[in-house]
Amino acid sequence: MATEKQIKLLIEKGNSAINSKQWKEAIKIFEEIDKIQPNTFPIILNLASCFTNISNYEKAHELYDEADKIQPLSPEVNYSRGICFEFEKRDVEALESFKKTLRINKDNIDAWIKCAEILRRQDKHKEAIEVYVYISEKNPNRADVMCDLADTLYENNQKTEAENLLKKLIDYNPNHNEAKIVLARIYHNTPGKKELAIQLEKEAEGSITF
């Protein structure tokens, strides 16, 4: 029988495999742990995530069902299942999973962002904008969310609002490359502003270091 120290080392090894995206190796390790400690919530959740990443969605959903029985109404299960549905390109089910996550924990910002991304893919720009506005009000320092909001405003033919928001971001942080790239994309489609677009792209490229 494995000792507590041995199990801890196996978990560390499994987590390391996940971090390096060695999904099959991680599955092998966590299945070994599951035999030693069956029905352990984080182990099953890790296995489900690994099977998602190797596109074995049927097995992943079986494991999410198992995890859900251990911890009903878990935001982690519903969020991870939503990711699995996204991998399968099943946006309707994914959106419902992320909404369920938010019904359990309304402060899960990642789930809000996922909802907005799916709404954009469904061309429901007005609803996506409302979600991004909500996120930005709760997390005013999330510049990435502000960029996505600007992008969505532009997609919704609210070009002036998008441009003003991006200019505000760049004024606040002149090194905000993402905002410059999004604004450049808008300017490329704006008569008379192609030179500005090229300038913004050069500024963004010039500040990237490796």
Side-chain angles (χ1 to χ4, degrees):
M1 188 174 180
T3 65
E4 187 176 331
K5 184 178 180 180
Q6 288 172 325
I7 293 169
K8 185 179 178 182
L9 287 171
L10 279 172
I11 291 171
E12 289 176 357
K13 189 177 176 183
N15 288 335
S16 177
I18 286 178
N19 290 336
S20 58
K21 299 183 179 181
Q22 296 175 336
W23 309 116
K24 291 183 179 180
E25 178 64 20
I27 287 170
K28 182 180 176 182
I29 295 166
F30 283 116
E31 282 184 335
E32 183 180 350
I33 299 169
D34 187 51
K35 289 176 183 176
I36 301 167
Q37 290 185 336
N39 301 319
T40 303
F41 179 79
I43 302 304
I44 292 170
L45 205 58
N46 279 341
L47 277 168
S49 176
C50 290
F51 278 109
T52 295
N53 279 283
I54 64 168
S55 303
N56 190 337
Y57 305 125
E58 183 178 355
K59 181 64 176 178
H61 284 298
E62 286 177 8
L63 288 162
Y64 287 129
D65 287 340
E66 192 176 333
D68 194 44
K69 289 176 184 176
I70 298 169
Q71 285 193 21
L73 300 178
S74 163
E76 291 86 359
V77 171
N78 286 284
Y79 181 84
S80 298
R81 193 193 293 273
I83 298 295
C84 186
F85 281 131
E86 275 199 306
F87 271 62
E88 297 176 85
K89 301 190 184 303
R90 295 166 63 183
D91 275 352
V92 173
E93 294 95 332
L95 182 59
E96 183 52 42
S97 288
F98 294 131
K99 285 182 176 180
K100 190 172 181 181
T101 304
L102 292 168
R103 286 195 290 270
I104 300 166
N105 176 15
K106 67 177 182 179
D107 295 323
N108 189 315
I109 298 303
D110 289 335
W112 281 111
I113 290 172
K114 285 294 182 182
C115 285
E117 290 173 350
I118 292 172
L119 290 167
R120 284 180 71 181
R121 290 200 294 269
Q122 295 176 334
D123 293 327
K124 296 178 180 178
H125 298 113
K126 185 177 179 181
E127 292 178 46
I129 288 166
E130 289 174 357
V131 174
Y132 281 130
V133 168
Y134 174 83
I135 299 169
S136 62
E137 287 174 350
K138 296 289 183 181
N139 299 266
N141 294 323
R142 287 292 298 263
D144 58 326
V145 171
M146 301 296 280
C147 276
D148 288 335
L149 171 57
D151 234 351
T152 312
L153 286 165
Y154 182 67
E155 291 168 354
N156 199 45
N157 297 316
Q158 293 175 253
K159 179 182 167 184
T160 302
E161 291 91 334
E163 183 179 356
N164 289 340
L165 177 56
L166 291 164
K167 284 180 177 178
K168 184 177 177 181
L169 284 171
I170 295 167
D171 285 342
Y172 180 74
N173 178 9
N175 296 317
H176 198 308
N177 294 325
E178 188 180 354
K180 289 179 181 179
I181 290 167
V182 175
L183 186 56
R185 187 163 65 245
I186 292 173
Y187 282 167
H188 271 300
N189 294 305
T190 304
K193 292 195 174 182
K194 188 170 183 178
E195 288 187 9
L196 277 174
I198 294 170
Q199 180 184 334
L200 285 165
E201 287 172 339
K202 286 181 178 178
E203 288 178 8
E205 290 171 3
S207 62
I208 296 173
T209 57
F210 296 92

